């Protein structure tokens, strides 16, 4: 490569990098939500059956103040195989504090898998945090656990 192309490329990179600023995530204002649905019918020649899959999911984000927000997630899916069905239910969410220098909060999720035989419940929980060291560097971490049970 000749020097002029290298210099031009470097100048373009620096101009783009200098102009890029992160979305320092603030709490949502008011309410925003999403509702989705899906369906699939999977089959293969010579396999002896097919699978019908369908589901519905919803998410909602709430802003309680300029710095405090929450998110709720709901979902259901059904898989119908040739000889058995699986249903999956779930609800979860998080609450967070989002000052100008970071985001910190807690989260919990519950899921039930209705299988042939026992149902399996899982609960995951934890805390998370992000610190915006500057407009280009974010430091983050989380801690949590899971609890499984059958019924």
């Amino acid at each position: 490569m000749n020097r002029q192309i290298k210099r031009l490329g470097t100048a373009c990179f620096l101009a783009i990098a200098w102009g890029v600023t992160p979305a320092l995530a603030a709490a949502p204002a008011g309410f925003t939500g999403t509702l989705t649905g899906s369906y699939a019918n999977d089959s293969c020649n010579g396999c002896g059956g097919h699978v019908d899959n369908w589901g519905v999911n919803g998410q909602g984000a709430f802003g309680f103040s300029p710095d405090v927000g929450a998110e709720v997630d709901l979902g259901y899916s059904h898989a119908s195989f040739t000889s058995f069905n699986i249903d999956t239910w779930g609800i979860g969410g998080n609450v967070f504090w989002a000052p100008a220098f970071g985001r910190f909060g807690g989260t919990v999720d519950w899921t039930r898998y209705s299988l042939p035989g026992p149902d399996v419940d899982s609960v995951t929980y934890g805390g998370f945090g992000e610190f915006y060291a500057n407009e280009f560097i974010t430091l983050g971490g989380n801690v949590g656990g899971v609890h499984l049970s059958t019924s």
Side-chain angles (χ1 to χ4, degrees), residues 28-55:
F31 171 79
T32 183
T34 304
L35 180 64
T36 60
S38 63
Y39 174 77
N41 181 296
D42 302 316
S43 63
C44 66
N45 293 333
C47 294
H50 69 278
V51 180
D52 283 317
N53 292 302
W54 64 271

Side-chain angles (χ1 to χ4, degrees), residues 12-26:
C12 288
F13 172 79
L14 291 174
I16 291 170
W18 187 262
V20 173
T21 58
L24 300 177

Side-chain angles (χ1 to χ4, degrees), residues 1 6 15 20 33 60 70 72 81 92 99 101 105 107 114 130 134 138 145 147:
M1 264 192 196
K6 285 183 183 178
V20 173
V72 176
F81 298 89
F101 61 86
T107 184
S114 296
E130 296 178 336
N134 64 37
T138 299
H147 175 76

Side-chain angles (χ1 to χ4, degrees), residues 60-137:
F62 307 87
F64 300 117
S65 75
D67 292 343
V68 177
E71 177 186 350
V72 176
D73 303 305
L74 303 164
Y76 172 76
S77 66
H78 176 81
S80 176
F81 298 89
T82 303
S83 57
F84 64 94
N85 297 325
I86 297 175
D87 293 302
T88 306
W89 300 87
I91 184 170
N94 62 67
V95 176
F96 57 89
W97 175 51
F101 61 86
R103 180 179 286 212
F104 309 93
T107 184
V108 65
D109 295 295
W110 169 81
T111 304
R112 169 167 282 174
Y113 305 94
S114 296
L115 307 169
D119 292 342
V120 177
D121 290 326
S122 72
V123 176
T124 58
Y125 49 89
F128 59 90
E130 296 178 336
F131 172 69
Y132 308 134
N134 64 37
E135 63 255 11
F136 299 108
I137 298 174

